[in-house]
Amino acid sequence: MAVDMVRLLELASWRAFDVDEAGRVLAGSDESGSTQLVELSPNGRVTALTALSGAVTGRYLPGERAAIIQHDTGGNERGQLSLMRLDRRRTRPAELGDLQPLVRDPRYVHRLLDVLPGRLVYSTNRRNGVDFDVVIRSAVTGEEIVVYDGGGMVQEVVASPDSHYLALTLPGAQPMSDRILLVDTMPATADERFRALTGLGEHTRSTHIRWLPDDSGLIVSTNADRDRTGVARLDARTGERTWLVTSEEHDLLGWLSPDGRTLLVQTNDDGAARLALHDARTGALRRSVPLPGDGWCSFPLPAPVWSPDSRLIALSFSSPEVPGDVLVVDVEQEAPITMTDSAAALAGERLATPTAHRVPGTDGAGVPCFVYEPAEPTGSSVLMIHGGPEGQSVRTFNPVVQGLAAQGHTVLVPNVRGSTGYGKSWYSADDGRKRLDSVQDLAALHEWLPQLGLDPARSALWGGSYGGYMVLAGLAFQPQRWAAGVDIVGISSLVTFLENTSPYRRAHREREYGSLADDAEFLREASPLTHVDEISAPLFVIHGANDPRVPLSEAEQLAEAVRRNGVECELLVFDDEGHGLAKRSNRLDAYPRALAFLTRHLL
């Protein structure tokens, strides 16, 4: 008998945030219904650390039995920072009042970026609500030093081993591009405070920056002058780049060990992670790191993290059959140690596993797509489109995909143009005025359905965030193709989205979509709300009232317009959620209802 959606949603998962030299892992567990901190010990002991109202992440404070904790309220993404002492006996998980406040102002965003002995590095938009400054704060005295206030949405920050320099990444001028800025925290003159290592106008991704131990340079994952991302060394004085590990077929990401000797490199093999250890000086391969199957272990999961002594690596791993586990790699041992077993609750029940395809696009380009075939297919199908748009559907566990397949729906999970993981040319193929080219990929996927033996008249769209925009665009621009849609925190109008999103996000997102000042007419024409009279398929809409990215008004104006035309539209709003459903109780409410809605219209 097929596993049901409720049981799938109740499965707990684990993720790794940090690891110390003793092999203890600071982890996240959603056993309680939302992601809370726990500590996993090498002897198998699990200690629950927090019981807060919002999702929680954290890092160990180096050299101490303490952790810096980042937490928000109701999904509003306004992170607050607190200190937790781990060397004290505890009888229950900590609530908010049990934590030592470090940085708390609920009006603004505070993001933990790095941890140093006795100090933390964070970014905040408290100066003007838009730009993010970088602050170093003492965890003991509370003294703060603002080390960067040059504007922009700071993404990554890493301090050099002697704390003399910070390297940070900022958005570049072009869509999906970054620039690296070097910050001297003790400059001889004000003019020497900042030094750009990459150009503002470069169409280049630069991520996962790490300092070499002697401060001479950085290790960076970048696609500078390449289509595929590789791992390079960047000279801190000249910006000169030396390639260490590259591939002509796959995007790579690299994480440098603290001692500067070893690189953990991930190869993105069509949404499956392949891991290997390389010599950080030469790039030479040392050995592969076996994983439990075809799965994934970086974003949207937490990135791999090294222990301070460069001996251990904590991984967050998920696959279509594994909800989410913590693995620990010992560089001296071949196989990782699995510290959790999230699939045990499935008791060996069969889940759908994907097959990979390239679907001919309207212009001949192949659209990457995973197909999850049910044990008892009904001929109906659901296309599940990821958010972003600069995201990628990878081989991780998705209870909604498995629940749909259990009900007999074939699930197609495409990476339409604009998706990452397939090179710079593919993720750039929907920029600006090319926005609707990605919507045409939905039409190509629909044309391909008969080759799978599926009924094109019984196909629906499902997506969240930008994927929600794609659902609405498919229904508005291709009304004859789709029988129903499920839109989760989606954009109904690119114009009103940019007008009403958080100010700090507007400046960031206009690079990708176009600006209100220069592109308003195109943005209006590319908006599903402009063509809402064409929508004839029934809709199920889910949104969080506290969403700082896509405001609730996007869902409300869409539902009102669709209903005004006599089309069925159910709007489900959760007052304690933000950009998506973080709480299991809300997912247990929303997703079975959405599944019943689709089953009613497709079967």
Side-chain angles (χ1 to χ4, degrees):
M1 182 176 178
V3 62
D4 66 88
M5 177 78 87
V6 170
R7 185 176 173 196
L8 290 163
L9 291 168
E10 289 177 338
L11 293 171
S13 64
W14 309 77
R15 56 196 62 194
F17 296 134
D18 209 348
V19 59
D20 68 10
E21 294 180 356
R24 293 174 292 232
V25 176
L26 189 65
S29 168
D30 61 4
E31 281 190 308
S32 67
S34 64
T35 300
Q36 299 295 318
L37 286 185
V38 300
E39 188 171 58
L40 308 176
S41 297
N43 61 11
R45 181 182 178 186
V46 180
T47 304
L49 298 179
T50 64
L52 305 183
S53 62
V56 186
T57 64
R59 294 284 306 278
Y60 284 124
L61 194 59
E64 300 183 45
R65 282 292 289 148
I68 307 296
I69 297 176
Q70 178 179 309
H71 47 93
D72 72 359
T73 301
N76 64 11
E77 299 186 11
R78 293 196 288 273
Q80 310 297 306
L81 305 178
S82 302
L83 177 70
M84 170 180 276
R85 295 290 175 187
L86 302 176
D87 52 2
R88 298 172 181 170
R89 182 180 180 87
R90 59 186 69 256
T91 58
R92 58 176 177 79
E95 298 179 356
L96 188 60
D98 302 321
L99 302 176
Q100 177 182 332
L102 290 177
V103 184
R104 294 207 191 156
D105 186 337
R107 297 172 297 174
Y108 301 110
V109 176
H110 312 89
R111 292 178 178 148
L112 181 63
L113 298 173
D114 202 2
V115 286
L116 308 168
R119 293 167 296 163
L120 59 144
V121 184
Y122 72 95
S123 64
T124 176
N125 65 344
R126 68 189 177 202
R127 177 165 54 87
N128 59 16
V130 177
D131 297 305
F132 281 80
D133 299 341
V134 178
V135 182
I136 298 179
R137 179 187 177 94
S138 169
V140 179
T141 67
E143 179 185 4
E144 294 194 340
I145 302 173
V146 177
V147 292
Y148 173 77
D149 57 2
M153 190 172 182
V154 176
Q155 296 160 321
E156 294 184 42
V157 173
V158 61
S160 62
D162 64 1
S163 300
H164 189 160
Y165 298 99
L166 293 179
L168 56 88
T169 61
L170 295 160
Q174 297 198 50
M176 196 62 172
S177 63
D178 313 289
R179 53 194 172 107
I180 301 178
L181 191 68
L182 197 65
V183 180
D184 189 333
T185 63
M186 296 177 285
T189 67
D191 293 340
E192 298 176 359
R193 188 179 175 195
F194 302 135
R195 182 163 76 250
L197 294 184
T198 60
L200 174 63
E202 294 182 23
H203 193 195
T204 298
R205 290 244 66 194
S206 298
T207 65
H208 300 80
I209 53 175
R210 292 293 183 273
W211 279 98
L212 293 168
D214 61 1
D215 293 1
S216 64
L218 298 157
I219 298 298
V220 59
S221 300
T222 179
N223 57 8
D225 302 323
R226 296 174 51 84
D227 186 60
R228 296 288 184 168
T229 301
V231 183
R233 182 170 57 246
L234 202 65
D235 190 286
R237 296 175 300 276
T238 66
E240 181 182 357
R241 185 174 55 252
T242 303
W243 291 105
L244 295 173
V245 191
T246 61
S247 169
E248 297 303 315
E249 294 81 30
H250 304 291
D251 284 334
L252 309 179
L253 294 176
W255 294 271
L256 179 69
S257 62
D259 64 10
R261 296 179 180 179
T262 308
L263 273 171
L264 175 69
V265 176
Q266 173 188 275
T267 298
N268 186 338
D269 184 5
D270 203 7
R274 314 294 183 206
L275 296 183
L277 298 176
H278 291 251
D279 187 299
R281 292 161 292 186
T282 66
L285 175 67
R286 289 181 178 171
R287 68 174 178 88
S288 297
V289 177
L291 291 173
D294 280 347
W296 194 248
C297 55
S298 63
F299 186 82
L301 298 171
V305 58
W306 285 87
S307 62
D309 61 358
S310 301
R311 183 176 62 89
L312 305 174
I313 310 168
L315 303 175
S316 304
F317 177 81
S318 177
S319 75
E321 298 169 295
V322 177
D325 282 326
V326 170
L327 312 180
V328 173
V329 177
D330 187 322
V331 296
E332 302 299 329
Q333 299 179 10
E334 182 175 349
I337 301 167
T338 302
M339 300 192 73
T340 59
D341 186 5
S342 60
L346 287 166
E349 290 203 51
R350 178 188 180 277
L351 297 180
T353 55
T355 54
H357 303 264
R358 290 294 186 275
V359 179
T362 54
D363 59 356
V367 180
C369 183
F370 301 126
V371 176
Y372 291 78
E373 295 187 6
E376 300 179 10
T378 62
S380 61
S381 58
V382 178
L383 271 67
M384 182 165 289
I385 307 105
H386 67 69
E390 318 96 329
Q392 181 187 6
S393 290
V394 292
R395 304 190 199 207
T396 54
F397 178 79
N398 187 320
V400 174
V401 168
Q402 297 295 346
L404 289 166
Q407 290 295 311
H409 306 292
T410 298
V411 185
L412 284 74
V413 184
N415 280 299
V416 298
R417 65 195 69 212
S419 302
T420 55
Y422 301 92
K424 185 188 301 184
S425 56
W426 189 248
Y427 73 61
S428 302
D430 72 335
D431 289 348
R433 300 296 177 96
K434 297 180 287 186
R435 177 67 40 214
L436 295 181
D437 290 356
S438 62
V439 182
Q440 285 303 308
D441 287 340
L442 299 181
L445 289 157
H446 188 270
E447 292 289 333
W448 187 65
L449 294 176
Q451 295 193 34
L452 297 176
L454 300 171
D455 181 359
R458 293 191 292 128
S459 185
L461 298 171
W462 180 303
S465 191
Y466 180 78
Y469 163 82
M470 290 288 284
V471 168
L472 300 176
L475 299 187
F477 292 104
Q478 303 159 4
Q480 73 283 3
R481 293 185 183 274
W482 309 107
V486 177
D487 156 36
I488 304 171
V489 298
I491 300 167
S492 60
S493 168
L494 293 168
V495 174
T496 57
F497 158 68
L498 290 172
E499 288 174 341
N500 298 320
T501 189
S502 298
Y504 69 90
R505 293 199 59 83
R506 182 182 309 123
H508 181 62
R509 301 315 287 163
E510 284 190 325
R511 293 185 313 152
E512 171 72 24
Y513 297 120
S515 71
L516 291 170
D518 300 328
D519 305 290
E521 186 54 38
F522 170 76
L523 293 170
R524 187 174 295 107
E525 193 58 28
S527 296
L529 190 66
T530 304
H531 306 274
V532 71
D533 290 347
E534 300 298 320
I535 295 179
S536 57
L539 261 167
F540 195 98
V541 181
I542 301 169
H543 218 100
N546 304 319
D547 193 337
R549 304 189 187 197
V550 180
L552 175 59
S553 54
E554 289 296 301
E556 292 174 330
Q557 66 187 8
L558 173 81
E560 180 183 355
V562 169
R563 290 167 177 167
R564 191 164 54 238
N565 291 336
V567 176
E568 178 186 351
C569 181
E570 182 169 351
L571 173 60
L572 197 56
V573 178
F574 293 93
D575 292 335
D576 56 349
E577 294 282 10
H579 194 62
L581 301 184
K583 295 181 172 63
R584 181 181 291 121
S585 59
N586 293 333
R587 296 195 295 269
L588 283 167
D589 180 11
Y591 293 155
R593 289 168 65 175
L595 175 59
F597 165 85
L598 286 183
T599 300
R600 176 162 53 90
H601 288 287
L602 297 183
L603 300 184

